[in-house]
């Protein structure tokens, strides 16, 4: 009996014991834990927001911004599948009940996207997007009074698409050992890449509104690249200022092109949308919308956005531009961004990742991968600094480029380097030790910079080394300048030329002192003895050194020899506003038939002269409110303005009797340059200028408008005007260029694949010459030779209009230009007036 009772209670007791103590242990033993990373097989970059799931179940995960995921489940399948828009799905086997690491490398799907199924009723995505636009002013970071944050930036540039034929080249055979290790870096399914640059920087970024100003202070930087010196230019470029993209703007500027945002005000004109999911991302419940451009050739994105249900803010975005877009040399652009709300309601980006895949220029070359990553933290909002605090857009700490130990950089990084990134540093060190690689690097620098660096001296520029014209014959002109290794305050330079026909020595010598880098201030002294062409000098051509060099070739119809001395003082008084004070003395010795009356009021008693001397002072003020500059060693490079025009006012005063100067005169010039973004209509450039000369002086001192008698198009000149055809002492000019991008030709089926782009141009001059200046022109030289005639406007404005096609074979541009008036203008004998012209030019652009 006792045994029976024991048997009765022993079964339930054992069952109870198993249920209470055994099942948790059993459950833990059967739990499957999978972690890993999803990356792009081509670039090696992580893929955030990718979906992983066990087929036939609801169990899965989504990768974070760095491509990582983790799944814990007691009911796994035996296969895990990863998928993401624009990529081919990939599956791998899973071992149940174990902890394991499964990494995926997935390949981009180049096939066309599936058709969108349109159902009756309104697309549910439209209501969400209307609310996104409605709440832009609340969520856009630009609505904040001010914000600042710490940022870490990392850039890597790699050579990709390395073919077997490329490996067989001599220079590449020298680095075979390095290339052999690339396969190990690429991963099981990745393509081999060759890293050539990796940079890191830590900065403090400040922004304030009203006025809109931005300032970045680069505290630390680390530049490691093949042939890249850790100069100030590279350090400034690797900061976060050039890796910022705000999709709340209607147009996002990337590599000089404007792309329409998927949440632009006119979103419905450019994109198709699909509401595909709703899920929690952190604490935010979000809608996921996939979008595709209505026209694949437009500068628009394909990808996904995650919009918060509360406030309709942009939480995450993954946007890509593919090879179908009307771009040159670009296989893909990919931007991934994660945002978080700040105090005051606006959303600020906490992480950004950008990939630019550059295709091969030729079938014998490789491509490039440029990868940018930024991480932002420690936000402070609505505490603006004084306006003067934002004086310079980018500055660099004096010790920013010190090579700290790796342990120190580990404390600066927001995330540690991956093993692959650590290996990149080692590979770049190996490449830099190969002699042939260093030789190719030197040749590339000469092609880009125009100078060859030899210690503290740069030899060049090569562009002006040789010229051929009718006066000098063959001209050679070597030159040099000192670099920052010589001094960071003094810049010495010079050129020495010789013409084999005129057998004259020409020279230029220049000394510049950089008085201040904070408020960029320079004092420059120059002496020159050279051959010039009337109407073309440093004052009219500005910084267009290519134009100045090209004008030394061909036939000099109005050439002259000159001795010149110049002193220039320039200073940026405050952000965007700079002033210049200059003094210039020069002589004029013509090589052509030129003469003027010394006393035009009494021609019978006046003598006729050919030569003159002039001494003048120049006062100039220039305002470019949002212009961005980079300080490149001892140079300052302008990156142009974003929204505001560049306005320049110049007053020139000539002093008779000073240094034997022959004339008193006054000139006043006003110019305005503006880039206008017109959204879907493309981009326009407007250049307006007006000048008034108050005194009667010989016409070489007046405004001689630049003509062009070549077949090469030049945006600075009037292309159907002959050299020296028109001279003015008062005038207003308009030069207008409009680039339609692919606006019209993208809609024509047979032409869209060619990626041609339409453009339009207009050049207008309204000017004239007073009777007093016309009376100064003598009909004969002192030797009795007839002088070269001078033309002026007397029948209204001069107008030439053009249209053309660019991007032919990706490099060629053809312009068709019509001259609308002064068609019977016989100012120059035996030189016909061209009513129509076809011009070509070569350009390298995206």
């Amino acid at each position: 009996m006792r045994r029976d009772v024991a048997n009765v209670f022993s079964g339930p007791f054992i069952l109870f014991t198993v249920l209470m103590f055994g099942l948790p242990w059993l459950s833990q033993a059967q739990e499957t834990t999978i972690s890993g990373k999803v990356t792009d097989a081509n670039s090696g970059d992580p893929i955030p927001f990718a979906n992983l799931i066990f087929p036939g179940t609801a169990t899965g995960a989504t990768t974070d911004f760095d491509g990582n995921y983790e799944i814990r489940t007691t009911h796994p399948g035996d296969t895990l599948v990863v998928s993401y828009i624009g990529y081919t799905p990939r599956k791998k086997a899973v071992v149940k009940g174990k902890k394991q690491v499964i990494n995926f490398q997935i390949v981009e799907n180049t096939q066309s996207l599936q058709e969108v199924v349109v159902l009756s009723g309104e697309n549910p995505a439209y209501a969400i997007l209307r609310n996104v636009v409605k709440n832009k002013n609340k969520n856009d970071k630009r609505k904040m009074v001010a914000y600042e944050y710490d940022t870490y930036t990392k850039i890597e540039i790699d050579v990709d698409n390395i073919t077997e034929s490329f490996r067989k080249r001599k220079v590449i055979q020298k680095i075979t050992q390095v290339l052999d290790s690339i396969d190990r870096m690429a991963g099981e399914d990745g393509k081999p890449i060759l890293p050539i640059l990796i940079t890191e920087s830590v900065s403090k970024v400040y922004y304030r509104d009203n006025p809109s100003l931005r300032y970045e202070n680069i505290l630390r930087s680390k530049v490691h690249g093949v042939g890249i010196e850790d100069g100030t230019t590279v350090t400034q470029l690797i900061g976060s200022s050039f890796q910022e993209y705000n999709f709340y703007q209607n147009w996002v500027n990337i590599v000089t092109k404007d792309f329409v945002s998927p949440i632009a005000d006119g979103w419905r004109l450019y994109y198709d949308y699909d509401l595909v999911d709703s899920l929690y991302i952190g604490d935010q419940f979000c809608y996921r919308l996939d979008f595709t451009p209505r026209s694949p050739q437009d500068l628009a994105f394909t990808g996904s956005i995650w919009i918060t249900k509360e406030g309709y803010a942009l939480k995450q975005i993954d946007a890509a531009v593919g090879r179908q877009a009307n771009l040159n040399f670009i296989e893909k652009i990919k931007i991934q961004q994660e945002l978080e709300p700040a105090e005051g309601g606006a959303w600020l980006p906490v992480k950004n990742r950008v990939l630019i895949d550059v295709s091969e220029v030729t079938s014998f070359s490789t491509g490039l991968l440029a990868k940018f990553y930024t991480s932002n933290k420690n936000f402070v909002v609505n505490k603006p600094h004084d306006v003067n605090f934002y004086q310079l857009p980018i500055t660099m700490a004096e010790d920013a480029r010190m090579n700290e130990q790796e342990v120190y950089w580990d404390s600066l990084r927001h995330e540690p380097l991956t093993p692959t990134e650590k290996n990149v540093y080692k590979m770049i060190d190996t490449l830099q030790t190969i002699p042939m690689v260093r030789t190719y690097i030197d040749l590339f620098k000469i092609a880009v910079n125009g100078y060859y660096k030899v210690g503290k001296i740069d030899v060049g520029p090569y562009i002006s080394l040789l010229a051929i014209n009718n006066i000098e014959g063959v001209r050679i002109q070597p030159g040099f300048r000192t670099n920052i290794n010589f001094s960071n305050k003094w810049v010495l330079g010079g050129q020495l030329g010789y013409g084999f026909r005129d057998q004259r020595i020409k020279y230029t010598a220049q000394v510049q002192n950089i008085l201040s880098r904070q408020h960029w201030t320079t004092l420059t002294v120059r002496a020159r003895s050279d051959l010039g062409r009337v109407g073309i000098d440093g004052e009219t051509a500005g910084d267009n050194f290519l134009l100045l060099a090209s004008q030394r070739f061909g036939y000099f119809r109005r050439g002259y020899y000159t001795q010149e001395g110049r002193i220039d003082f320039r200073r940026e008084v405050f952000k965007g506003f700079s002033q210049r004070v200059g003094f210039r003395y020069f002589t004029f010795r013509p090589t052509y038939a030129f003469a003027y009356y010394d006393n035009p009021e009494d021609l019978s008693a006046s003598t006729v002269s050919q030569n003159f001397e002039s001494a003048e002072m120049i006062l100039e003020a220039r305002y470019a409110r949002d212009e961005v500059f980079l300080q490149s060693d001892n140079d300052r490079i302008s990156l142009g303005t974003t929204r505001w025009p560049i306005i320049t006012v110049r007053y020139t005063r000539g002093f008779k009797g000073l240094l034997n100067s022959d004339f008193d005169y006054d000139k006043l010039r006003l110019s305005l340059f503006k880039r206008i973004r017109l959204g879907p209509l493309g981009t326009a450039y407007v250049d307006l200028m007006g000048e008034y000369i108050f005194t009667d002086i010989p016409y070489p001192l007046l405004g001689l408008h630049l003509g062009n008698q070549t077949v090469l198009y030049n945006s600075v000149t009037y292309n159907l005007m002959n050299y020296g055809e028109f001279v003015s002492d008062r005038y207003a000019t308009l030069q207008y260029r409009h680039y339609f991008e692919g606006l019209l030709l993208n809609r024509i089926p047979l032409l869209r694949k060619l990626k041609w782009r339409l453009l339009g141009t207009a050049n207008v001059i309204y000017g004239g010459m007073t009777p007093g200046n016309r009376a100064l022109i003598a009909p004969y030289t002192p030797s009795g030779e007839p002088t070269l005639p001078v033309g002026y406007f007397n029948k209204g404005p001069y107008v030439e209009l053009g249209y053309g096609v660019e991007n032919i074979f990706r490099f060629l541009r053809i312009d068709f230009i019509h001259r609308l008036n002064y068609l019977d203008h016989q100012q120059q004998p035996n030189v016909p007036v061209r009513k129509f012209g076809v011009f070509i030019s070569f350009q390298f652009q995206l």
Side-chain angles (χ1 to χ4, degrees):
M1 181 73 179
R2 184 174 299 169
R3 178 181 297 176
D4 294 338
V5 173
N7 289 337
V8 169
F9 284 94
S10 63
F13 180 79
I14 293 174
L15 179 61
F16 177 77
T17 302
V18 169
L19 291 174
M20 290 295 296
F21 300 101
L23 276 184
W25 176 86
L26 185 63
S27 174
Q28 184 178 2
Q30 293 178 344
E31 183 181 64
T32 302
T33 302
I34 308 170
S35 61
K37 190 166 190 173
V38 180
T39 58
D40 185 301
N42 291 331
S43 68
D45 263 12
I47 298 181
F49 328 133
N51 297 314
L52 298 105
I53 195 167
F54 293 103
T57 73
T59 303
T62 301
T63 58
D64 62 15
F65 193 81
D66 298 309
N68 299 312
Y69 74 94
E70 185 179 48
I71 302 174
R72 295 176 180 268
T73 179
T74 57
H75 299 87
D78 57 5
T79 302
L80 183 63
V81 177
V82 60
S83 62
Y84 191 63
I85 182 173
Y87 287 82
T88 301
R90 182 88 187 272
K91 61 183 179 181
K92 286 190 176 184
V94 174
V95 179
K96 296 182 180 180
K98 288 188 176 181
K99 185 176 182 180
Q100 57 209 284
V101 175
I102 301 179
N103 295 321
F104 289 89
Q105 287 183 307
I106 57 179
V107 179
E108 187 178 7
N109 185 357
T110 58
Q111 301 297 320
S112 300
L113 296 173
Q114 62 184 15
E115 295 182 357
V116 178
V117 179
V118 180
L119 303 176
S120 60
E122 185 183 54
N123 186 332
Y126 289 178
I128 297 173
L129 285 161
R130 281 195 295 268
N131 281 307
V132 171
V133 173
K134 181 180 178 181
N135 287 273
K136 265 189 180 184
N137 292 334
K138 299 178 182 178
N139 298 320
D140 187 353
K141 63 182 181 180
R142 292 176 298 170
K143 74 116 180 184
M144 305 181 74
V145 174
Y147 58 81
E148 59 190 69
Y149 55 86
D150 299 325
T151 182
Y152 165 77
T153 304
K154 179 171 55 186
I155 300 174
E156 182 181 337
I157 297 180
D158 309 311
V159 174
D160 72 339
N161 295 337
I162 302 174
T163 62
E164 285 302 320
S165 60
F166 181 77
R167 285 175 180 255
K168 293 178 181 179
R169 292 187 173 186
K170 284 187 177 181
V171 64
I172 300 303
Q173 289 176 358
K174 298 290 184 179
I175 56 176
T176 301
Q177 183 177 358
V178 178
L179 285 173
D180 289 341
S181 67
I182 295 174
D183 296 321
R184 293 193 294 272
M185 287 181 57
E188 57 178 333
D189 303 301
K191 293 184 178 181
I193 57 175
L194 176 64
I196 57 175
L197 173 71
I198 185 169
T199 71
E200 299 176 84
S201 69
V202 177
S203 306
K204 187 78 175 180
V205 176
Y206 306 85
Y207 171 83
R208 67 161 291 162
D209 193 22
N210 193 27
S212 179
L213 298 170
R214 178 185 170 88
Y215 165 53
E216 179 178 8
N217 184 17
I218 300 175
L219 304 174
R220 291 287 184 272
S221 75
K222 191 176 184 181
V223 180
H224 215 62
V226 178
I228 304 295
E229 299 177 358
D230 194 2
T232 54
T233 304
V234 176
T235 301
Q236 292 168 85
L237 286 172
I238 67 176
S240 67
S241 294
F242 298 97
Q243 283 81 50
E244 179 172 299
Y245 305 99
N246 184 0
F247 285 91
Y248 282 105
Q249 295 175 307
N250 290 331
W251 297 89
V252 181
N253 186 266
I254 311 172
V255 289
T256 73
K257 296 289 185 179
D258 289 329
F259 296 78
V260 62
S261 169
I263 56 173
D265 294 341
W267 50 270
R268 196 167 180 176
L269 298 174
Y270 305 98
Y271 291 101
D272 291 317
Y273 298 85
D274 189 17
L275 175 61
V276 297
D277 199 4
S278 57
L279 70 163
Y280 274 95
I281 300 178
D283 298 331
Q284 298 286 341
F285 186 79
C286 299
Y287 304 106
R288 173 185 161 183
L289 282 70
D290 290 352
F291 53 90
T292 55
R294 288 181 177 269
S295 175
Q297 285 75 30
D298 285 348
L299 298 185
F301 300 99
T302 298
S304 303
I305 51 176
W306 287 260
I307 304 298
T308 62
K309 182 179 180 180
E310 182 179 354
Y312 293 93
L314 179 64
K315 170 64 177 175
Q316 292 179 164
I317 183 168
D318 188 347
V321 179
R323 65 178 64 185
Q324 287 183 305
N326 196 331
L327 288 173
N328 290 326
F329 318 113
I330 299 294
E331 289 280 341
K332 180 173 66 173
I333 298 174
K334 194 174 184 67
I335 301 177
Q336 298 160 331
Q337 192 174 86
E338 182 180 9
L339 300 95
E340 293 290 344
E343 296 179 19
W347 288 65
L348 294 168
V350 293
K351 291 183 178 181
N352 297 273
R353 184 177 288 109
V354 180
L355 168 73
I356 300 177
D357 188 352
V358 182
S359 63
E360 306 92 302
V361 177
T362 69
S363 58
F364 302 101
S365 61
T366 64
L368 284 177
L369 282 176
K371 297 184 281 188
F372 309 85
Y373 172 77
T374 59
S375 174
N376 307 322
K377 64 181 184 180
N378 300 331
F379 291 93
V380 177
V381 300
N382 295 330
K383 294 183 179 179
H385 299 272
D386 293 335
V387 172
N388 291 336
F389 179 80
Y390 307 85
Q391 171 70 26
L392 297 175
I394 303 174
T395 60
M396 183 179 63
E398 292 184 359
D399 58 348
R401 292 180 289 158
M402 291 180 62
N403 295 318
E404 288 88 359
Q405 298 295 323
E406 189 65 22
V407 176
Y408 179 72
W409 267 95
D410 284 338
S411 67
L412 296 177
R413 299 181 180 109
H414 293 187
E415 296 89 14
L417 292 179
T418 65
T420 299
E421 290 168 336
K422 292 178 180 179
N423 199 24
V424 167
Y425 277 106
K426 298 178 182 178
M427 294 182 67
I428 291 174
D429 286 337
T430 304
L431 286 172
Q432 293 188 107
T433 62
I434 300 174
M436 186 171 288
V437 172
R438 295 202 301 268
T439 300
Y440 273 79
I441 290 169
D442 289 340
L443 293 175
F444 177 77
K445 287 181 178 179
I446 294 174
V448 173
N449 299 326
Y451 287 87
Y452 179 71
K453 186 175 182 180
V454 184
K456 299 179 181 181
I457 301 295
D458 295 339
V459 179
Y462 73 90
I463 194 172
S464 60
L465 182 61
L466 178 69
I468 303 175
N469 58 67
N470 64 304
I471 298 176
E472 297 175 293
V474 177
R475 168 184 172 136
I476 58 173
Q477 182 174 274
F480 81 97
R481 69 182 181 189
T482 59
N483 55 47
I484 199 168
N485 295 331
F486 173 82
S487 172
N488 65 350
K489 289 185 176 297
W490 292 94
V491 182
L492 311 179
Q495 291 179 305
L496 184 65
Y498 181 77
F500 287 91
R501 175 173 293 176
D502 64 356
Q503 298 182 350
R504 290 198 182 197
I505 295 176
K506 292 87 177 176
Y507 65 85
T508 299
Q510 180 170 299
V511 178
Q512 183 180 79
N513 180 240
I514 302 173
L515 300 172
S516 171
R517 291 178 180 267
Q518 183 70 19
H519 293 268
W520 188 261
T521 308
T522 61
L523 178 64
T524 306
V525 179
R526 186 176 76 165
R528 185 172 72 103
S529 176
D530 210 340
L531 173 71
R533 184 181 292 200
V534 173
I536 301 176
D537 57 21
E539 291 293 331
T540 57
D543 295 330
N544 195 331
F545 300 111
L546 180 61
L547 174 64
L548 290 172
S550 66
Q551 293 300 316
R552 296 200 179 278
F553 288 83
Y555 183 79
F556 274 44
R557 188 172 180 81
R558 299 177 193 267
Y560 66 96
Y561 289 102
T562 184
Q563 301 280 339
E564 181 189 51
R566 182 194 296 268
I567 300 175
D568 265 314
F569 176 80
R570 299 172 187 258
R571 178 174 174 81
E572 186 175 47
V573 182
F574 56 85
K575 178 177 170 55
F577 182 73
S578 60
Q579 288 187 324
R580 169 194 172 201
V581 178
F583 177 80
R584 177 188 179 210
Y585 168 81
F586 64 97
T587 63
F588 184 85
R589 304 290 184 264
T591 63
Y592 66 100
F594 162 77
Y596 65 95
Y597 287 114
D598 294 319
N599 184 12
E601 297 179 358
D602 187 358
L603 297 182
S604 61
S606 176
T607 59
V608 176
S609 299
Q610 287 184 288
N611 306 325
F612 63 80
E613 300 177 23
S614 179
E616 61 184 26
M617 182 181 67
I618 301 170
L619 302 177
E620 183 177 281
R622 183 177 183 274
Y623 184 59
R625 177 172 174 177
D626 58 352
E627 187 172 19
V628 176
F629 286 96
L630 294 181
Q631 291 187 15
S632 174
D633 292 340
N634 290 332
D635 293 326
R636 196 165 77 139
I637 303 170
S638 172
L639 300 182
T641 59
T642 304
R643 297 172 52 197
W644 297 91
I646 300 175
I647 302 173
T648 306
V649 180
R650 177 187 298 171
Y651 170 70
T652 304
R653 169 65 180 171
F655 297 95
K656 184 176 182 178
L658 180 62
L659 299 177
N660 296 320
S661 174
D662 293 304
F663 312 107
D664 280 316
Y665 52 86
D666 297 276
K667 304 179 183 180
L668 183 63
R669 179 189 296 180
L670 172 66
S671 63
L672 180 148
F673 175 81
K674 178 74 169 72
R675 177 192 180 193
I676 305 175
R677 296 177 178 176
L678 298 172
L681 298 178
T683 304
Y685 294 86
V686 179
D687 200 340
L688 294 169
M689 185 172 68
E691 184 172 29
Y692 194 94
I693 301 171
F694 297 86
T695 317
D696 294 338
I697 47 180
Y699 75 80
L701 295 172
L702 303 180
L704 192 142
H705 308 289
L706 300 182
N708 183 6
Q709 292 179 227
T710 72
V711 296
L712 298 177
Y713 174 83
N714 193 314
S715 62
V716 178
T717 64
Y718 298 87
N719 290 280
L720 289 178
M721 186 184 292
N722 294 324
Y723 292 138
E725 185 178 353
F726 292 101
V727 179
S728 301
D729 55 28
R730 60 192 189 283
Y731 61 88
T733 67
L734 164 66
Q735 292 184 297
Y736 180 85
R737 291 170 286 148
H738 194 119
Y739 299 89
F740 292 96
E741 299 293 347
L743 173 65
L744 300 177
L745 298 185
N746 279 354
R747 273 67 182 173
I748 303 175
L750 297 179
L751 294 178
R752 67 175 56 162
K753 291 185 178 181
L754 298 175
K755 295 186 177 181
W756 290 359
R757 304 165 189 167
L758 289 179
L759 54 91
T761 60
N763 289 333
V764 181
I765 308 175
Y766 187 79
M769 186 186 295
T770 61
N773 276 317
R774 294 202 298 268
L776 276 176
I777 303 172
Y780 297 96
T781 66
S783 62
E785 181 183 1
T787 59
L788 196 64
V790 177
Y792 54 91
F793 302 108
N794 57 3
K795 300 178 182 178
Y798 170 90
V799 181
E800 58 182 34
L801 301 179
Y803 49 89
V805 179
E806 62 177 351
N807 209 40
I808 302 172
F809 305 120
R810 299 196 295 184
F811 294 100
L812 179 63
R813 166 176 168 172
I814 299 179
D815 285 82
F816 306 91
I817 301 179
H818 298 264
R819 176 166 167 168
L820 302 189
N821 52 4
Y822 291 95
L823 303 180
D824 57 349
H825 194 244
Q826 296 297 326
Q827 182 260 329
Q828 297 181 17
N830 303 319
V831 179
V833 172
R834 295 170 297 165
K835 302 178 182 179
F836 173 76
V838 179
F839 297 84
I840 64 171
S841 57
F842 300 92
Q843 52 192 12
F844 186 89
Q845 63 176 10
L846 297 178

